[in-house]
Amino acid sequence: MAEVADIAFIQELKQRPDLSLKQDAQGIPLIDLSCPDKDALVHDIGHACTKWGFFQIINHGVPSELSHKLAEASHKFFHLTMDEKRKVRRDVGKVLGYYDTEHTKNIRDWKEVFDYTVQQPTLAAASVDENDHQVAHWENQWPQSPPEMREVCEEYAKEMVALGMRLMELIAMSMGLKAQRFEEFFKDHTSSVRLNHYPPCPSPELALGVGHHKDPGVLTILAQDDVGGLEVRQKSDGRWVGVKPTPDAYIVNLGDVLQVWSNGEYESVDHRVIVNPEKERYSIPFFLNPSHYTMVEPLPELIRGHQKGAKYRPYNWGKFALSRKHSNFMKLQADNIQIHWFKN
């Protein structure tokens, strides 16, 4: 990667991590999905969503062998030559594949990524124009090496969708809704998987692997290696705290869509990734996203009797997501689209 002396990587002073104050979060909910007491499981999920906005899950049913295969394929891919990786480079026209100049909050991230979607093709908004009803077809780009990468990636994605929908059933029940309440929003879902590689950074006090942000979709299921680096902003006091890796556990964080559906009862969580001066880091987030034509708005049954009614105006997920994706490719003059733009 480029040197961190490149001004594009340097965070604003108030966003730079204070590595001398680094501490791990205490009391993060660790939820066992094999718990036979479903009422207790639903209660624990609801408490985690309300108080934290994220939690860890164990005994989730995803084969550890599959996770290890994907981690190995990811390592092989990112250690290819730059010429090889750029054969599947993404751009504004081909939004899936390899990329190494992504921006978060208009600052370049210290990372390289490989993105792919679950559905093939994935139906998406063709433009951010509200009057444009054309549909785009996003196609994955697969590298020739490693040869096993496509098969492993696709198998892992299926497991993630199943896990994601299981979590959505539990979340629905924690809201007092029917377990299948959210199914209608995922008929043509736009879910995706990302392979992240964070190389060692010579100046970890200046740069971030990913700048602070909230995920725009429904929820994120993250696998991270034992190096660590994920930090979340605690809701209780606003401090940045690290999320220590737990073997064979996933980290689940709520996204903006779920915040709107819940009418603000379940809030998405601000998070970032700090970098390591000596060790490279890998992570694999799965983003559960609705169909592109979904109008995101508070669920009617959750605003009945609510004193202030709906806290958000409806917005089209496909247009919103495309606008956020475009901001990854270039530095903008202002912040990219956020759900607070739609607050009543």
Side-chain angles (χ1 to χ4, degrees):
M1 295 189 68
E3 291 295 326
V4 79
D6 185 338
I7 194 172
F9 290 103
I10 297 177
Q11 295 286 324
E12 295 179 14
L13 190 59
K14 64 180 180 179
Q15 300 299 344
R16 295 175 193 174
D18 187 342
L19 303 179
S20 66
L21 297 178
K22 188 177 183 300
Q23 67 178 93
D24 291 331
Q26 301 297 318
I28 296 175
L30 181 64
I31 297 175
D32 186 345
L33 291 187
S34 68
C35 175
D37 187 340
K38 195 162 191 177
D39 289 341
L41 186 55
V42 168
H43 174 271
D44 289 347
I45 291 279
H47 179 267
C49 290
T50 303
K51 300 299 182 182
W52 290 82
F54 71 101
F55 50 92
Q56 297 190 84
I57 53 174
I58 56 174
N59 295 322
H60 39 68
V62 179
S64 57
E65 181 183 357
L66 176 59
S67 299
H68 293 320
K69 284 182 179 178
L70 183 56
E72 289 176 2
S74 176
H75 185 275
K76 290 178 183 177
F77 173 75
F78 286 119
H79 281 270
L80 294 173
T81 65
M82 187 58 72
D83 286 344
E84 281 298 310
K85 288 183 286 190
R86 285 180 173 168
K87 288 180 180 179
V88 289
R89 182 177 170 82
R90 74 182 209 206
D91 54 35
V92 176
K94 295 179 179 179
V95 299
L96 302 169
Y98 173 76
Y99 202 58
D100 64 343
T101 56
E102 189 164 88
H103 291 71
T104 302
K105 302 291 184 183
N106 285 324
I107 304 294
R108 187 172 166 187
D109 297 328
W110 189 267
K111 69 179 181 188
E112 53 182 346
V113 307
F114 178 84
D115 290 329
Y116 69 97
T117 52
V118 180
Q119 305 269 55
Q120 279 300 288
T122 292
L123 305 181
S127 76
V128 297
D129 183 351
E130 293 295 333
N131 297 314
D132 183 0
H133 302 295
Q134 295 185 76
V135 177
H137 292 71
W138 291 356
E139 300 277 359
N140 288 328
Q141 299 188 81
W142 296 107
Q144 292 183 338
S145 180
E148 72 274 15
M149 185 163 162
R150 177 173 183 171
E151 182 179 352
V152 174
C153 283
E154 291 178 342
E155 187 177 353
Y156 184 81
K158 291 177 183 178
E159 292 284 346
M160 285 294 101
V161 171
L163 177 58
M165 295 311 297
R166 182 183 176 195
L167 288 171
M168 290 307 298
E169 289 184 359
L170 294 169
I171 290 171
M173 294 171 68
S174 76
M175 294 177 175
L177 306 171
K178 293 181 179 179
Q180 287 74 38
R181 177 62 179 90
F182 293 109
E183 278 189 3
E184 64 181 278
F185 301 115
F186 295 96
K187 180 182 177 183
D188 298 305
H189 65 96
T190 54
S191 305
S192 64
V193 179
R194 164 168 285 189
L195 310 181
N196 282 320
H197 175 227
Y198 304 94
C201 179
S203 300
E205 74 283 359
L206 297 178
L208 288 168
V210 184
H212 79 97
H213 67 287
K214 296 182 177 183
D215 291 342
V218 179
L219 57 79
T220 303
I221 304 174
L222 175 74
Q224 62 171 342
D225 63 16
D226 59 2
V227 175
L230 174 66
E231 290 191 335
V232 298
R233 194 192 298 274
Q234 287 191 144
K235 292 175 67 174
S236 58
D237 56 16
R239 288 185 304 160
W240 287 105
V241 291
V243 182
K244 191 175 180 179
T246 299
D248 295 322
Y250 285 113
I251 298 165
V252 179
N253 66 268
L254 310 185
D256 288 341
V257 170
L258 194 54
Q259 178 170 323
V260 173
W261 280 343
S262 71
N263 204 33
E265 291 301 309
Y266 290 178
E267 295 182 0
S268 56
V269 62
D270 203 11
H271 54 289
R272 67 184 185 182
V273 175
I274 62 172
V275 284
N276 193 295
E278 300 171 352
K279 299 178 180 179
E280 60 181 351
R281 175 180 182 262
Y282 294 87
S283 70
I284 305 172
F286 164 74
F287 304 102
L288 182 66
N289 297 324
S291 308
H292 77 91
Y293 45 78
T294 300
M295 292 302 295
V296 181
E297 58 187 319
L299 298 178
E301 53 266 62
L302 297 182
I303 59 176
R304 293 193 191 107
H306 200 289
Q307 285 186 337
K308 296 184 178 179
K311 294 182 179 179
Y312 299 90
R313 300 183 303 278
Y315 64 89
N316 177 274
W317 163 249
K319 305 290 186 185
F320 185 98
L322 187 62
S323 179
R324 288 287 287 263
K325 190 170 282 290
H326 281 171
S327 71
N328 291 337
F329 294 100
M330 63 196 79
K331 184 170 183 175
L332 305 178
Q333 296 302 312
D335 199 3
N336 57 11
I337 191 169
Q338 306 289 334
I339 58 169
H340 66 73
W341 294 13
F342 302 92
K343 262 196 163 184
N344 284 322

